[in-house]
């Protein structure tokens, strides 16, 4: 076992130093850069994150700059990455760093772990990558690589398995090389030991990989399936302005807390569960939408279906049927609503689904 461990650490580190990708957050040992990149990389591909990271750091180059920024600016910079609670928690953590540590991410595991939104993995990543501390950073890539290499049959969805793999990972870290080693094992999982089609012949540690030797590389790791997201059918109103608001759409801001808090969206309603399989015919759906919005103090007239769209959150799948609607020029607009045109979009943060809908609408007008 010890030889298997030494071989893994030695060959993996050698491979990484020759093959690592040039990523913007790797170009210097900056704890803030590591923190931002690791939060962005949760549930998001590296290729998607790179331009977001570069723009975000240009706009908020330090924890203090992020801490002092209006939340709306932070959400706008995050727009398109999804999982917006990540951005809010990152800013909350930056405020803690400003208040408690003079704007410098501390070289202290307990302090880092106490920051808002920083869990065990992110703590390990910051401490090891930025400060070269011998702390494990176990994400999905690492669990997959080590489950295969050591032929572990424990369910990686269970917390006890993660703890076990953290112990294994800690023992593998070569003295003085925590930063490169932890990035190396993540890199191997991302580029070679991939979920569905591991490139075993290109793997630097294939010779002693117990999972490969047993022919189980595609069966491991063991992971119980999460519950599928709950489907929800929603009817949305694309409300076109007239007169001084010609070319703009009436949008509303979401509540102060909860899903997508304070972001902007097209007004929409949840269709009762018993109707949500196929929904209603369009004329009945329009009547439902008009009645529901009237109760909100919004007098609109649905005209025709504009398009259908969908978006999956971690626990909910929205199926959105969007109707083009008209509103009288002198109609009252409730508090929390605003007419937004293409030139106004930089001032407002929208969830991904509504970014796509706005793009579709304004592109149609320009055509």
């Amino acid at each position: 076992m010890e030889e298997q461990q030494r071989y893994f650490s030695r060959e993996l580190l050698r491979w990484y130093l020759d093959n690592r990708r040039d990523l913007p957050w790797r170009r210097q040992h900056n704890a803030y850069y590591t923190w931002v990149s690791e939060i962005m990389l949760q549930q998001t591909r590296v290729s998607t994150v790179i331009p977001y990271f570069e723009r975000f750091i240009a706009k908020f180059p330090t924890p203090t700059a992020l801490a002092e920024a209006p939340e709306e600016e932070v959400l706008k910079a995050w727009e398109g990455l999804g999982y917006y609670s990540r951005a809010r928690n990152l800013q909350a953590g930056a405020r803690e760093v400003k208040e408690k540590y003079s704007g410098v991410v501390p070289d202290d595991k307990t302090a880092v772990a106490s920051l808002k939104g920083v869990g065990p993995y992110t703590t390990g990543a910051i401490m090891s990558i930025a400060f070269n501390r011998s702390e494990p950073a176990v994400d999905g890539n690492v669990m997959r690589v080590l489950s295969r290499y050591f032929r572990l049959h424990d369910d990686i969805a269970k917390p006890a398995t993660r703890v076990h793999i953290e112990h294994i990972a800690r023992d593998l870290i070569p003295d003085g090389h925590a930063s490169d080693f932890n990035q190396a094992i993540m890199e191997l999982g991302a580029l070679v030991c991939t979920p569905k089609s591991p490139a075993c012949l290109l793997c630097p540690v294939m010779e002693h990989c117990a999972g490969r030797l047993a022919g189980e590389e595609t069966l491991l790791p063991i992971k119980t399936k999460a519950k599928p997201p709950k489907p929800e059918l929603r009817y949305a109103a694309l409300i076109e302005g007239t007169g001084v608001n010609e070319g703009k759409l009436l949008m509303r801001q979401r509540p102060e807390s909860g899903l997508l808090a304070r972001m902007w969206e097209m007004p929409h309603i949840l269709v009762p569960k018993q109707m949500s399989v196929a929904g209603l015919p369009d004329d009945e759906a329009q009547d439902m939408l008009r009645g529901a919005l009237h109760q909100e103090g919004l007098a609109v007239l649905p005209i025709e279906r504009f398009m259908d769209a969908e978006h999956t959150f971690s626990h909910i799948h929205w199926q959105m049927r969007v109707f083009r609607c008209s509103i009288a020029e002198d109609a009252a607009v409730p508090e929390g609503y605003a007419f937004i045109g293409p030139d106004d979009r930089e001032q407002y943060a929208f969830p991904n689904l509504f970014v796509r809908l706005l793009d579709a609408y304004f592109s149609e007008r320009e055509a």
Side-chain angles (χ1 to χ4, degrees), residues 239-312:
I239 305 169
E240 299 177 295
T242 57
V244 295
N245 292 312
E246 177 72 31
K248 296 184 177 183
L249 295 176
L250 185 61
M251 311 293 285
R252 72 180 178 193
Q253 190 173 28
R254 290 182 66 84
E256 291 286 325
S257 60
L259 180 68
L260 305 174
R262 299 185 65 193
M263 302 191 77
W264 289 80
E265 65 182 3
M266 292 176 184
H268 56 92
I269 63 171
L270 173 63
V271 178
K273 187 175 181 181
Q274 61 269 25
M275 303 178 187
S276 63
V277 175
L280 298 170
D282 278 3
D283 57 344
E284 295 181 34
Q286 291 176 48
D287 286 341
M288 177 184 288
L289 180 61
R290 180 176 61 239
L293 294 182
H294 181 75
Q295 291 181 1
E296 291 189 23
L298 199 59
V300 301
L301 178 64
I303 300 170
E304 62 183 0
R305 191 190 297 203
F306 174 67
M307 66 180 291
D308 291 348
E310 59 185 293
H311 184 78
T312 301

Side-chain angles (χ1 to χ4, degrees), residues 71-321:
E71 183 182 280
E72 289 75 13
E73 286 188 19
V74 177
L75 292 176
K76 189 64 184 178
W78 203 272
E79 185 182 84
L81 277 177
Y83 300 95
Y84 293 94
S85 61
R86 295 183 298 172
R88 291 190 176 89
N89 288 340
L90 181 60
Q91 186 177 35
R95 288 171 178 155
E96 293 178 56
V97 169
K98 178 192 172 187
E99 294 167 5
K100 297 178 181 178
Y101 309 109
S102 302
V104 178
V105 179
D107 182 1
D108 180 275
K109 180 182 176 181
T110 301
V112 168
S114 71
L115 297 174
K116 181 73 172 179
V118 176
Y121 165 73
T122 308
T123 299
I126 293 171
M127 297 309 300
S128 62
I129 296 172
F131 298 119
N132 204 30
R133 303 298 179 196
S134 294
E135 294 290 340
V138 175
D139 66 353
N141 281 326
V142 174
M143 287 195 285
R144 181 172 61 256
V145 168
L146 296 185
S147 291
R148 288 171 174 168
Y149 186 78
F150 292 106
R151 199 185 173 202
L152 306 176
H153 291 95
D154 299 320
D155 182 357
I156 64 169
K158 294 181 177 180
T161 302
R162 173 182 288 275
V163 171
H164 177 54
I165 291 178
E166 285 176 349
H167 287 307
I168 294 174
R170 186 186 300 275
D171 290 340
L172 292 170
I173 299 172
D175 289 342
H177 296 284
S179 180
D180 284 336
F181 178 80
N182 279 355
Q183 291 180 90
I185 195 168
M186 297 174 199
E187 195 87 330
L188 187 71
L191 301 181
V192 178
C193 196
T194 53
K196 295 183 179 179
S197 302
C200 292
L201 296 180
L202 300 178
C203 179
V205 296
M206 62 172 289
E207 183 177 338
H208 290 296
C209 177
R212 183 192 69 84
L213 294 172
E216 297 179 353
E217 66 272 16
T218 59
L219 302 178
L220 295 171
I222 304 298
K223 183 179 182 180
T224 52
K225 292 185 178 180
K227 291 182 180 179
K230 180 179 70 173
E232 290 185 353
L233 176 61
R234 291 175 176 262
Y235 296 151
L238 185 150
I239 305 169
E240 299 177 295
T242 57
V244 295
N245 292 312
E246 177 72 31
K248 296 184 177 183
L249 295 176
L250 185 61
M251 311 293 285
R252 72 180 178 193
Q253 190 173 28
R254 290 182 66 84
E256 291 286 325
S257 60
L259 180 68
L260 305 174
R262 299 185 65 193
M263 302 191 77
W264 289 80
E265 65 182 3
M266 292 176 184
H268 56 92
I269 63 171
L270 173 63
V271 178
K273 187 175 181 181
Q274 61 269 25
M275 303 178 187
S276 63
V277 175
L280 298 170
D282 278 3
D283 57 344
E284 295 181 34
Q286 291 176 48
D287 286 341
M288 177 184 288
L289 180 61
R290 180 176 61 239
L293 294 182
H294 181 75
Q295 291 181 1
E296 291 189 23
L298 199 59
V300 301
L301 178 64
I303 300 170
E304 62 183 0
R305 191 190 297 203
F306 174 67
M307 66 180 291
D308 291 348
E310 59 185 293
H311 184 78
T312 301
F313 301 95
S314 58
H315 60 298
I316 303 172
H317 178 74
W318 277 2
Q319 298 167 303
M320 193 78 71
R321 188 183 301 179

Side-chain angles (χ1 to χ4, degrees), residues 5-14 172-174 181:
Q5 291 175 324
R6 286 195 297 271
Y7 167 85
F8 180 90
S9 302
R10 181 183 66 247
E11 297 302 321
L12 180 62
L13 193 57
R14 182 181 298 167
L172 292 170
I173 299 172
F181 178 80

